[in-house]
Amino acid sequence: MTVSFHKFGDKFFPGTGDVKETGEREGKFYAINVPLKDGIDDTSFTRLFKTIISKVVETYQPGVIVLQCGADSLAGDRLGCFNLSIDGHAECVRFVKKFNLPLLVTGGGGYTKENVARCWTVETGVLLDTEIPNEIPDNEYIKYFAPEYSLTIPSGQIENLNSKSYLGTIKVQVLENLRYIQHAPSVQMQEVPPDFYIPDFDEDEQNPDERVDQHTRDKQIQRDDEYYDGDNDNDQNMEDV
C-alpha cells in the first residue's frame, strides 16, 4: 500500500495524485493520495497525517513501513509551497516511529539545501531518540546556515488555502476508501509483531472547531445487518501527533 501527502492542482507537476486515484485492478484502493493546496501549516498537516496514517496501519496492518521524508514541504523551499516547520515535519516521523514496526526511512525532495540538511539531521535524532542542540557547530559549510546558525526554521507565511471543509472532505473520502479493503480477501493474513500498537490520538481534543460535522457523521452510520464490524466514528482509536 502506498500513501502520499502532496501538493495537487494548479497544473502542478506531474499532475497526478487526486484523492480519487486509488489504484487499478488488483491494486484498487491500495494507493492512497492526500492532495493538498498551497500553504498548509503544521497544525493542519500533522492532524491530517496522524488521522490517516493511524487508520491505514489499523486497516492494512503492514509488516514494515518505508517512510520517505521529502523536505520540499518545508517553508521556504525553492519549489515547494507549504508552511511546515522542521518541528512539524519531524513530528510525523516521531508518530510513525511509535508504531514499533520495522521502519526504513529515506530522504526525498527538497530544493533549499540548507533546510534539507537541517530537516534530516533533526529527524535522524528523532529516530535515534537523541536530543540534538539547536545551535549548529562550526564546520566547513557553516556559511550556508547564516545568520541564525540553528537547526530550526520558522513556519512559512504563505496563505493557507486548505480550508477546514476541504481537509474534512479529503479525510472522509480517504477513510471511506479504506473501508473497501478492511475485509478484502486480497489482504494477506499475517501475524503482527507483538509490540505493534496504534498510538493514542484524540483528534477532537486538539481543535474542536475542526470536528466532522453531524451531517457527515450521519452518512457514516452503518446498518445493523452489515457483514462487517466497522467504526461509526472514523476518528476512534487515534491519538496525538
Side-chain angles (χ1 to χ4, degrees):
M1 172 169 281
T2 61
V3 186
S4 177
F5 294 77
H6 51 260
K7 155 77 176 176
F8 177 78
D10 302 327
K11 298 182 180 179
F12 192 78
F13 181 84
T16 57
D18 191 285
V19 69
K20 297 178 182 178
E21 297 175 26
T22 59
E24 298 179 359
R25 298 184 294 276
E26 292 85 355
K28 188 70 172 175
F29 300 115
Y30 289 88
I32 296 175
N33 284 298
V34 185
L36 302 170
K37 300 180 182 181
D38 290 3
I40 195 161
D41 55 26
D42 286 352
T43 300
S44 299
F45 187 88
T46 55
R47 180 180 297 116
L48 187 64
F49 182 91
K50 293 173 183 182
T51 300
I52 290 176
I53 293 299
S54 291
K55 199 63 177 180
V56 167
V57 173
E58 177 186 336
T59 302
Y60 184 66
Q61 297 188 358
V64 63
I65 296 175
V66 178
L67 180 63
Q68 184 185 40
C69 300
D72 46 353
S73 53
L74 292 175
D77 189 83
R78 286 185 170 85
L79 296 184
C81 47
F82 291 168
N83 287 323
L84 299 187
S85 69
I86 289 178
D87 288 341
H89 201 276
E91 181 62 26
C92 296
V93 177
R94 185 175 292 107
F95 184 72
V96 173
K97 184 174 182 289
K98 289 180 180 178
F99 288 109
N100 290 326
L101 289 168
L103 178 62
L104 172 63
V105 181
T106 72
Y111 304 96
T112 300
K113 55 184 177 296
E114 57 270 28
N115 288 346
V116 174
R118 287 179 166 108
C119 183
W120 293 345
T121 297
V122 170
E123 291 175 354
T124 299
V126 169
L127 293 167
L128 298 177
D129 296 317
T130 301
E131 290 289 336
I132 299 177
N134 187 43
E135 183 178 353
I136 298 175
D138 189 28
N139 64 85
E140 60 182 308
Y141 302 104
I142 193 66
K143 64 180 181 180
Y144 290 104
F145 302 98
E148 297 87 0
Y149 304 106
S150 63
L151 284 177
T152 58
I153 63 169
S155 55
Q157 302 300 320
I158 298 174
E159 180 184 2
N160 188 353
L161 301 181
N162 298 272
S163 66
K164 295 177 182 179
S165 60
Y166 175 76
L167 294 178
T169 299
I170 294 298
K171 180 182 71 172
V172 168
Q173 182 63 65
V174 169
L175 298 183
E176 181 66 23
N177 289 342
L178 281 168
R179 292 179 59 192
Y180 285 96
I181 69 163
Q182 279 184 316
H183 297 273
S186 58
V187 178
Q188 181 180 0
M189 301 302 292
Q190 56 186 328
E191 181 178 354
V192 178
D195 54 354
F196 163 85
Y197 79 105
I198 303 293
D200 293 330
F201 167 44
D202 189 340
E203 180 188 12
D204 285 347
E205 284 188 2
Q206 283 194 323
N207 190 340
D209 292 335
E210 295 196 13
R211 294 174 181 170
V212 178
D213 58 59
Q214 188 60 47
H215 176 68
T216 302
R217 292 181 186 276
D218 290 342
K219 290 196 301 182
Q220 297 171 342
I221 294 176
Q222 301 166 359
R223 292 169 42 186
D224 293 337
D225 58 351
E226 282 283 3
Y227 68 96
Y228 61 87
D229 293 326
D231 295 333
N232 289 339
D233 181 356
N234 282 322
D235 292 336
Q236 287 182 3
N237 303 322
M238 301 172 189
E239 214 176 59
D240 198 275
V241 150

